[in-house]
Each structure stands twice: as C-alpha cells, then as structure tokens.
C-alpha cells in the first residue's frame, strides 16, 4: 500500500478556534481523522503532518519526492496556508522533488482578498482544490487515488 502525505502549513494547528466563519469549527485532529478514513477507503496509508516552519515543509516535500521515486508514496496533499502566496522556496521544492502534489485550501481563496488570488504552488501542482471546507481533504485524497490507481 502506498502512502499519502497530507502536509499542513502555518496556523493550521489553530483550526477550530481560528476564524471559524472562514475555516469552520473542526480541529486539525478532526481533519486527520477524516483523512484516515479517506485513505482507508482508497487502500492508502496516511502520513499526516503540520508545521509552522517553511524549512520543515520543504524538508517534508523533498522526502516525499524520494519516497515517490522509490515507489512507496502516491503523492502529497499540501495546504501551505499563507506560504501559498509568498513562498518561491516551496514552489522550487515541489518542482525539484518532482512529486505529485495537490494544492488544497479549505476556503475559496479566489473569493477572498486579492493577495490570496496568486499562488506560487498552482503552477507546479497536479491539481488544485479550494472551497470545500475540510471535506476537500477527503476529495483530494480520492483524486490522488484516482490519479495513481485509475478505474
Ligand atoms: C488557506 C488559505 C490561505 O490564504 C490562508 O493563508 C491559510 C489557509 C485555506 O486553507 O483556505 O492559512 O490555505
């Protein structure tokens, strides 16, 4: 069974209390439970992580690239939080690692402030998911399963 890395960036550890009108009332632990169910449904193993630190996210993306090359990883679901809109380094890491990655946002970033409309990640992502709330994580895992085990 292949692994899916679900990687969460800055401030996503605050889910549940952070701007609930935008991000909902559920916590990151709830997101992890939902991802676990989605992975089980699709015969995948979950590796779920969160970091507020750009370099830690980059290390995880590079590690994922090596795991995918070795045949043990199906891909990555990345919610890079605000780094989406600022980080050339994360974009370079995704490109350099050659990893299959789905960009995810809980909110519809295009319906929000103009500075959230640009993503450094979209050009190097396989697909983009935004605006489905935390259910987007399960949809992204299903999409990754479809990409790697079609049919
Ligand atoms: C987010 C959207 C980003 O603009 C924001 O900085 C976040 C969360 C989302 O999941 O909707 O931290 O990625």
């Amino acid at each position: 069974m292949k692994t899916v890395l679900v990687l969460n960036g800055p401030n996503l550890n605050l889910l549940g209390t952070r701007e609930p009108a935008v991000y909902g009332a559920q916590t990151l632990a709830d997101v992890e439970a939902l991802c676990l169910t989605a992975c089980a449904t699709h015969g995948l193993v979950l590796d779920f992580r969160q970091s507020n630190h750009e370099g830690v996210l980059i290390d995880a993306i590079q590690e994922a690239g090596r795991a995918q090359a070795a045949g043990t990883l199906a891909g990555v679901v990345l919610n890079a939080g605000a780094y989406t809109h600022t980080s050339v380094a994360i974009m370079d890491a995704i490109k350099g690692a050659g990893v299959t990655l789905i960009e995810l946002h809980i909110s519809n970033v295009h319906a929000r402030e103009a500075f959230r409309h640009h993503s450094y990640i979209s050009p190097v992502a396989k697909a983009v998911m935004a605006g489905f709330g935390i259910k987007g994580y399960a949809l992204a895992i299903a999409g990754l399963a479809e990409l790697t085990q079609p049919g």
Side-chain angles (χ1 to χ4, degrees):
M1 282 205 292
K2 289 195 181 188
T3 297
V4 172
L5 172 62
V6 177
L7 190 56
N8 293 282
N11 301 309
L12 290 159
N13 54 315
L14 300 180
L15 279 182
T17 55
R18 173 194 185 197
E19 299 180 77
V22 177
Y23 298 113
Q26 286 174 296
T27 66
L28 193 63
D30 295 326
V31 175
E32 182 169 4
L34 179 152
C35 289
L36 205 54
T37 303
C39 280
T41 303
H42 296 284
L44 295 161
V45 174
L46 177 65
D47 181 355
F48 190 88
R49 305 188 201 180
Q50 189 274 332
S51 176
N52 292 325
H53 305 278
E54 193 173 22
V56 174
L57 298 170
I58 290 168
D59 285 344
I61 290 163
Q62 291 184 4
E63 184 189 328
R66 290 191 292 272
Q68 189 174 325
T72 59
L73 185 105
V76 179
V77 175
L78 173 66
N79 185 347
Y83 284 141
T84 304
H85 318 298
T86 64
S87 182
V88 175
I90 290 178
M91 175 184 72
D92 282 351
I94 297 163
K95 207 171 180 181
V99 74
T100 303
L101 182 140
I102 300 186
E103 173 184 349
L104 180 138
H105 302 287
I106 296 167
S107 63
N108 177 359
V109 283
H110 297 287
R112 300 180 63 195
E113 304 96 319
F115 67 83
R116 296 187 203 274
H117 298 177
H118 177 262
S119 166
Y120 280 101
I121 293 166
S122 298
V124 292
K126 182 79 182 172
V128 180
M129 171 87 60
F132 285 100
I134 67 163
K135 288 191 176 153
Y137 284 85
L139 297 170
I141 289 167
L144 207 47
E146 179 60 29
L147 286 174
T148 51
Q149 327 158 321

